Amino acid sequence: MDKREEILRISGVDVRKCMRCGKCSGTCPNYDEMEYHPHQFVYMVETGNIEPLMNSKSIYKCLSCFACADRCPRGVEPAKVVEAVRLAVIRQKGQNHLKASQVPDVLDEDIPQQAFVSAFRKYSK
Amino acid sequence: MHRIGVFVCHCGTNIAGTVDVKAVAEALGKEPGVVSSVEYQYMCSEAGQTLIKDAIKNLKLTGVVICSCSPRMHETTFRRTAAAAGINPYMVEIANIREQCSWIHKDKATATEKAIILGRTAIAKVTLNTPLTSMESPVTKRALVIGGGIAGIQTALDIAEAGFEVDIVEKNSTIGGKMTQIDKTFPTLDCAACILTPKMVDCAQNEKINIYSYSEVESVSGFVGNFTAKIKKKARYVDAAKCTGCGVCTEKCPMKNVPNEFNLGMNNRRAIYIPFAQAVPKVATIDADYCNMLKKGKCGVCAKVCTAGAIDYKQQDEYVEREYGAIVAATGYNPISLENYDEFAYSQSKDVITSLEFERLTNAAGPTSGQLLRPSDGQHPHTIVFVQCVGSRDTSGCGKPYCSKICCMYTAKHAMLTRDKYPDTDVYVFYIDVRTPGKNFDEFYRRAVEEYGVHYIKGMVGKVSPRADGKLMVQASDLIANEQLHIEADLVVLAAAIEPDKSARSVATMLTASMDTNDFFTEAHPKLRPVESPTAGVFLSGVCQGPKDIPETVAQASACAAKVIGLLAKDKLTCNPCVAHSNENLCNGCSACEKVCPYGAITYSDKEFRMPDRTVAIRRVALVNPAVCQGCGACTVACPSGAMDLFGFSNKQIMAEVDAICK
């Protein structure tokens, strides 16, 4: 299956509903850490430009706080798109980026608790 | 013996592209009673109509079947054609082979077969048609306008100008509506009060206009040209005839802490109040929820200070019943509640305000006498952030799916005026799209950017966090720079979506006027009949039909008045002759029809009947008032004895149609 289709299927998101208001990126608490921002995920998936997203660390930087999904006025849910790209990478490689047991070693004190919890969720799949 | 002519229309390729029109004409030509069956490219064209007229005259046709578009489109056209050729217009039947056939089918053979069946059905019906004559009903030459904002005012003034009486019913204590709360108007920046209040005074002084302020319409009955409305004049505990509007009572009343709705609760008024200096009518009103005299029987200060003796604590709601020929809905709008948008901290900080509140803060008659001061501490704000589309274009369920249309322009106005009056202020506007279709609108917005240095940023605010020191931390995206911005603001202004006034739904129910899913009134046709409701005699003015700015509202209000005048100028209206009638010999007086009639057209009377044994029996039978009946047919279905029938759509005709379809 085509990567774009795969991500749309995994996420269940209709990226065409996006009206490019940028509220997702305005709302994102981890914006500065991300190379690609929530609105870019939606736009790049819509245009089929998936490779850069799959190769970016942004998919692991997303806190999965779902603030973008909660506040999107069009009900697009960008967080689900980010998660879908991440899952596509995991499925493609057949393995995780990190083992769950490795997670505590790479954490520093400044990282939000939410990211810590979400890291376990992401890496223990 | 019937002599029926069948005319099959191609409608260009609209019908002929999917239906074999030649085959249809040929097949229908073989039906019993049909003496001629032809097809033509455009039946509704002048040449097409001439074809029909000539056939009627030359072949002495008694009935006509047109296989064409929906009867909604051209039934009237073809009835006129038939009448011009000398036969009764109700001897024409339309078989809808466009909307119900060619447009919904792809396969030509299927579509052709169905077109033949529809044509055969119309032939079966027309053979049972009887000539009908339209009755006439009188027109009451008075209009009712529900809502006294700029839309209602303009409609009333224009109707009065044409010489007809108009009543305005306004639920608030003054007319003027939202425009009274606005400071300046785009794109020319005239002061709203300066252009509105003369019109309000015109309404008050016009002999033809009668204002029912602090009143509501309770119920409406009747039909186009003959409505009866019951109006409730709410008790204001002040005799409007005696009150001079001097305002002494509003200064002496000891109840000082009543939130002032005119200033959106940003300051207080007394329990007895006049909303603003230019109110029309300028009559005080006692707020029964706060008045000590009305609540506890103690106080009476206003009565003591009133030299005119106008205070009347015993006043009761009064009801007036009046007749009208036309009714105009002009119920207006309100900004939505922002409870679903807590990310903007509207409920957490006094310094997060709506745009309408901003209008009051910049208005000379407002709570700060026109000085732009922060509501929390009364200091001048130095950084102001405007957020557009708060609740507009929102399909997530929190807001409204439509564009509120007026926000882009009033935000540009607010930003520009702020920079003009306070050049030391930084002004940011966050936008998704700037929509400025209108005369001199885009130029106005560009001036805000180019001449006044307003920072327009493409992106949306994600979050507003009030800080302990009183600053508002605004987190937003700048999509063009691909950055996230963090702005320390002193004031945040939210362009809240607008929605129809809550009273609109009950008004629509009373008028049997239809609404869309957003509670805007539906127009009879979105392009060609924009100021009429599908309900005859009900007209639409202003935002109750859809979001509009002031110029558009005034234009629509005048258009609405033109339609009302067109109706009131007639002495008589032609009624639809396809109305119900009751066969007295079959009627058993059960009242089933009366219960289902939505128009109150059915009454009962006791009639004498000669019985076969030469005795006389008195029986209760139904009577239909043909002027009130709208021909909906509900009674014919409800009637258990088959006494009720509809002219033009008799039970026999409908059975014949069903038989023809099933043949």
Side-chain angles (χ1 to χ4, degrees):
Chain A
M1 197 194 318
D2 157 63
K3 273 277 167 279
R4 182 177 180 275
E5 287 304 310
E6 184 185 354
I7 284 157
L8 293 179
R9 194 177 56 78
I10 296 173
S11 66
V13 166
D14 182 356
V15 285
R16 286 173 306 182
K17 288 199 290 185
C18 173
M19 64 168 170
R20 324 235 189 279
C21 72
K23 197 173 182 183
C24 47
S25 291
T27 228
C28 180
N30 213 28
Y31 185 96
D32 292 336
E33 295 294 318
M34 291 174 78
E35 179 191 2
Y36 294 107
H37 306 120
H39 75 277
Q40 288 174 293
F41 269 86
V42 176
Y43 184 68
M44 289 165 77
V45 169
E46 188 184 338
T47 55
N49 190 14
I50 316 274
E51 281 302 312
L53 297 177
M54 294 181 75
N55 296 328
S56 166
K57 289 225 163 63
S58 300
I59 51 176
Y60 303 103
K61 299 282 185 185
C62 167
L63 303 179
S64 303
C65 71
F66 279 73
C68 52
D70 183 51
R71 292 182 192 152
C72 173
R74 309 295 287 187
V76 176
E77 304 183 296
K80 287 191 179 171
V81 177
V82 180
E83 178 131 351
V85 175
R86 192 165 59 228
L87 284 173
V89 171
I90 291 168
R91 287 179 193 183
Q92 177 180 271
K93 289 181 178 164
Q95 61 174 40
N96 277 341
H97 174 64
L98 277 178
K99 287 201 173 66
S101 57
Q102 292 174 292
V103 170
D105 302 333
V106 295
L107 291 181
D108 61 53
E109 284 183 0
D110 293 335
I111 205 155
Q113 285 290 313
Q114 199 166 15
F116 186 74
V117 176
S118 116
F120 271 105
R121 199 163 63 81
K122 285 171 201 166
Y123 299 132
S124 55
K125 276 203 175 109
Chain B
M1 188 59 204
H2 278 285
R3 296 177 61 80
I4 295 161
V6 176
F7 302 88
V8 184
C9 179
H10 296 202
C11 196
T13 54
N14 271 312
I15 294 171
T18 325
V19 171
D20 184 349
V21 282
K22 262 205 173 73
V24 173
E26 238 168 68
L28 295 178
K30 292 174 193 147
E31 288 293 312
V34 175
V35 292
S36 152
S37 182
V38 293
E39 26 88 22
Y40 186 70
Q41 231 172 358
Y42 290 103
M43 264 326 157
C44 60
S45 69
E46 209 177 325
Q49 291 190 51
T50 311
L51 188 90
I52 299 169
K53 278 186 220 168
D54 290 347
I56 292 173
K57 284 179 195 155
N58 299 338
L59 301 169
K60 301 196 168 41
L61 298 181
T62 58
V64 173
V65 168
I66 318 267
C67 301
S68 62
C69 52
S70 161
R72 269 175 165 264
M73 190 77 194
H74 276 309
E75 189 176 57
T76 323
T77 315
F78 294 122
R79 278 187 175 159
R80 270 197 218 119
T81 312
I87 64 169
N88 186 281
Y90 292 89
M91 297 307 288
V92 174
E93 284 301 324
I94 310 271
N96 183 356
I97 62 163
R98 192 176 77 175
E99 284 86 340
Q100 292 177 356
C101 192
S102 68
W103 278 0
I104 52 166
H105 286 290
K106 285 200 175 89
D107 177 46
K108 201 160 184 170
T110 322
T112 307
E113 189 193 347
K114 185 170 172 185
I116 293 169
I117 293 170
L118 290 172
R120 205 164 63 204
T121 307
I123 295 166
K125 188 180 176 204
V126 84
T127 51
L128 294 170
N129 275 16
T130 46
L132 299 174
T133 316
S134 300
M135 300 241 309
E136 284 178 333
S137 69
V139 179
T140 308
K141 296 189 178 280
R142 174 184 279 270
L144 169 65
V145 176
I146 305 173
I150 180 61
I153 288 174
Q154 186 64 45
T155 302
L157 283 173
D158 288 351
I159 295 170
E161 182 74 11
F164 296 106
E165 306 261 337
V166 197
D167 290 352
I168 301 177
V169 174
E170 167 58 52
K171 67 175 169 6
N172 293 322
S173 60
T174 172
I175 58 166
K178 286 288 168 302
M179 198 174 162
T180 57
Q181 292 173 298
I182 294 170
D183 183 39
K184 290 195 169 56
T185 53
F186 59 76
T188 43
L189 299 179
D190 358 33
C191 133
C194 311
I195 56 175
L196 174 67
T197 50
K199 280 190 185 286
M200 290 162 63
V201 173
D202 283 352
C203 278
Q205 290 177 346
N206 195 312
E207 284 176 1
K208 299 278 182 191
I209 300 179
N210 180 24
I211 302 170
Y212 289 108
S213 64
Y214 211 56
S215 301
E216 281 168 34
V217 178
E218 278 277 302
S219 64
V220 175
S221 59
F223 56 99
V224 55
N226 298 274
F227 293 107
T228 304
K230 190 174 167 192
I231 298 160
K232 174 177 157 187
K233 292 167 78 178
K234 294 181 279 186
R236 66 202 303 168
Y237 307 104
V238 174
D239 186 338
K242 289 184 187 162
C243 177
T244 59
C246 70
V248 173
C249 54
T250 66
E251 288 161 16
K252 300 291 183 201
C253 171
M255 286 304 293
K256 294 182 180 171
N257 294 323
V258 185
N260 184 354
E261 57 282 89
F262 183 68
N263 284 328
L264 303 156
M266 289 193 292
N267 67 353
N268 292 327
R269 60 163 169 80
R270 310 295 173 100
I272 185 164
Y273 67 102
I274 297 173
F276 53 95
Q278 299 93 341
V280 170
K282 199 167 179 190
V283 172
T285 304
I286 295 180
D287 188 335
D289 293 339
Y290 291 93
C291 173
N292 260 340
M293 190 67 187
L294 290 172
K295 275 167 66 187
K296 298 173 191 157
K298 287 179 196 156
C299 184
V301 170
C302 50
K304 275 176 218 144
V305 298
C306 180
T307 51
I311 309 292
D312 174 8
Y313 298 116
K314 299 236 153 57
Q315 200 176 68
Q316 299 283 320
D317 292 347
E318 235 183 277
Y319 292 89
V320 198
E321 230 175 57
R322 293 214 77 148
E323 297 193 335
Y324 300 98
I327 299 182
V328 176
T331 45
Y333 74 97
N334 276 303
I336 61 164
S337 145
L338 293 175
E339 59 186 13
N340 288 336
Y341 292 93
D342 214 34
E343 63 265 34
F344 299 124
Y346 179 73
S347 60
Q348 298 157 38
S349 169
K350 279 183 159 186
D351 298 329
V352 180
I353 59 173
T354 66
S355 298
L356 197 55
E357 288 165 357
F358 186 88
E359 292 281 352
R360 296 314 300 150
L361 280 186
T362 51
N363 187 289
T368 55
S369 306
Q371 298 233 58
L372 182 54
L373 302 173
R374 275 159 55 103
S376 63
D377 56 9
Q379 298 295 308
H380 271 294
H382 293 287
T383 305
I384 305 180
V385 170
F386 288 90
V387 187
Q388 299 219 233
C389 292
V390 177
S392 296
R393 308 168 69 189
D394 186 321
T395 50
S396 72
C398 296
K400 302 289 173 185
Y402 49 85
C403 167
S404 296
K405 201 173 186 181
I406 55 176
C407 327
C408 283
M409 283 301 287
Y410 70 59
T411 299
K413 175 188 76 177
H414 291 163
M416 182 191 285
L417 290 174
T418 305
R419 288 281 298 157
D420 186 45
K421 208 166 168 190
Y422 309 101
D424 61 335
T425 312
D426 260 334
V427 176
Y428 296 88
V429 176
F430 285 91
Y431 69 93
I432 303 172
D433 299 290
V434 180
R435 295 180 166 174
T436 52
K439 192 173 168 184
N440 294 323
F441 280 16
D442 202 64
E443 294 91 325
F444 182 85
Y445 146 62
R446 289 312 305 169
R447 255 170 64 209
V449 177
E450 292 166 28
E451 283 177 41
Y452 291 88
V454 176
H455 308 299
Y456 264 79
I457 297 166
K458 160 83 187 163
M460 190 64 182
V461 171
K463 197 175 172 187
V464 177
S465 327
R467 222 165 53 184
D469 65 356
K471 290 272 184 195
L472 298 164
M473 292 307 298
V474 177
Q475 180 182 308
S477 66
D478 179 339
L479 288 179
I480 292 179
N482 200 14
E483 275 175 5
Q484 194 176 58
L485 302 179
H486 298 268
I487 298 170
E488 274 186 25
D490 300 311
L491 189 67
V492 171
V493 185
L494 307 176
I498 59 172
E499 65 181 354
D501 190 83
K502 293 272 181 274
S503 66
R505 183 151 277 281
S506 62
V507 169
T509 309
M510 272 188 265
L511 300 175
T512 61
S514 49
M515 286 185 135
D516 65 17
T517 50
N518 296 312
D519 274 8
F520 286 113
F521 280 90
T522 313
E523 56 279 14
H525 188 285
K527 287 142 222 163
L528 303 177
R529 293 175 70 194
V531 296
E532 294 157 82
S533 151
T535 305
V538 174
F539 301 87
L540 313 174
S541 180
V543 179
C544 72
Q545 178 259 337
K548 273 175 209 72
D549 57 27
I550 296 168
E552 267 188 302
T553 296
V554 172
Q556 199 211 18
S558 288
C560 175
K563 285 286 167 192
V564 172
I565 294 163
L567 170 63
L568 298 187
K570 289 182 185 138
D571 291 322
K572 300 239 178 264
L573 291 176
T574 310
C575 304
N576 172 18
C578 299
V579 291
H581 59 106
S582 163
N583 182 342
E584 290 170 349
N585 292 321
L586 294 177
C587 176
N588 61 15
C590 70
S591 293
C593 53
E594 187 196 17
K595 281 180 201 141
V596 297
C597 177
Y599 305 99
I602 299 168
T603 51
Y604 287 87
S605 78
D606 291 322
K607 269 196 146 180
E608 286 185 8
F609 287 85
R610 272 171 199 276
M611 303 308 282
D613 57 357
R614 300 193 169 212
T615 57
V616 172
I618 295 175
R619 280 182 34 227
R620 182 173 181 268
V621 291
L623 281 178
V624 180
N625 179 349
V628 180
C629 175
Q630 299 294 299
C632 71
C635 56
T636 64
V637 184
C639 180
S641 56
M644 275 292 175
D645 215 351
L646 208 56
F647 285 121
F649 295 91
S650 66
N651 295 330
K652 225 171 138 187
Q653 283 175 302
I654 289 165
M655 284 316 292
E657 287 186 281
V658 175
D659 285 344
I661 290 172
C662 302
K663 202 157 82 178

